[in-house]
Amino acid sequence: MVIRLRRYYGDAEVTKSVMEVWMQDEEEPRMVCEAREAAFRDYGESFAGASRFCLPRGRWRMKPGGSPYGPMGLRVVRCPGHRQVFVGHRWSRQWMEGEVLIGVGVLAREWNTEEWGDDAVARKAWEDRKRRIERGDEVFARLTEMVYEAYGRGEEFWMEVENEMIVVATL
């Protein structure tokens, strides 16, 4: 199983990604959802305070089990600046240090062309900034089913993090 985080937005508080879950030997992702991490920083090497930021770009081994989310919850065991980064969900949080929170992306309100105009670039930037995650428990339950399936087939677990498409907001 490979989980790919394709980051699209980051600022001093949150990093937003599209998360794809790929099962071994399949040609399409089995699941696509939204993911959230702590503050964005583009790095590949460890530095003091790295654990307060999102995961570094790269490919990192994951392991099932030993998670506060259940007996087969996934975690990135070790990567530069981080140990035990869990994949999970929270009812009341959009992001949390040391966790990759997952859910369905939703907008709190619609783009108003009368108020903000008809600029497609500005609209996308606004949507990226305002998109929230909800229904994390449902998405996590689907992921858990896939983890059991992959574990039963003896698959390895990997997290791949990409920063190629990210827009970094400066406030």
Side-chain angles (χ1 to χ4, degrees):
M1 171 184 280
V2 175
I3 294 179
R4 288 191 183 128
L5 295 182
R6 298 178 187 268
R7 293 181 173 146
Y8 65 85
Y9 177 85
D11 63 24
E13 287 186 2
V14 66
T15 303
K16 299 180 180 184
S17 306
V18 171
M19 185 176 105
E20 299 173 345
V21 181
W22 294 78
M23 301 296 277
Q24 186 174 321
D25 299 326
E26 292 186 5
E27 297 192 20
E28 294 182 13
R30 176 89 61 96
M31 182 173 82
V32 178
C33 64
E34 290 275 327
R36 300 293 182 268
E37 300 170 83
F40 178 74
R41 184 161 175 176
D42 187 9
Y43 67 102
E45 302 290 324
S46 185
F47 59 92
S51 64
R52 294 186 315 232
F53 294 92
C54 59
L55 289 167
R57 66 186 177 285
R59 181 176 166 96
W60 315 112
R61 180 167 301 280
M62 299 184 77
K63 289 192 175 183
S67 167
Y69 291 101
M72 290 297 280
L74 286 174
R75 67 192 193 279
V76 174
V77 180
R78 185 179 306 264
C79 65
H82 297 270
R83 290 185 325 167
Q84 304 293 351
V85 175
F86 299 103
V87 177
H89 68 91
R90 298 280 175 162
W91 289 101
S92 61
R93 302 287 303 259
Q94 287 295 299
W95 61 269
M96 189 168 179
E97 288 179 15
E99 297 195 14
V100 177
L101 301 182
I102 60 176
V104 175
V106 296
L107 285 173
R109 61 186 265 204
E110 293 293 322
W111 177 265
N112 183 337
T113 54
E114 290 179 13
E115 185 177 350
W116 298 306
D118 198 15
D119 182 355
V121 173
R123 179 181 181 144
K124 173 151 179 19
W126 181 85
E127 288 177 352
D128 288 352
R129 183 180 298 253
K130 297 296 182 184
R131 187 175 296 113
R132 300 174 46 81
I133 54 172
E134 294 180 357
R135 299 183 10 224
D137 54 336
E138 297 170 26
V139 174
F140 186 76
R142 286 183 54 212
L143 177 63
T144 300
E145 290 173 9
M146 287 182 266
V147 170
Y148 274 102
E149 180 183 337
Y151 184 82
R153 293 193 309 206
E155 291 187 27
E156 291 185 343
F157 294 86
W158 294 92
M159 170 82 69
E160 294 178 353
V161 180
E162 300 175 9
N163 289 341
E164 296 167 8
M165 303 299 290
I166 193 162
V167 172
V168 180
T170 53
L171 303 176

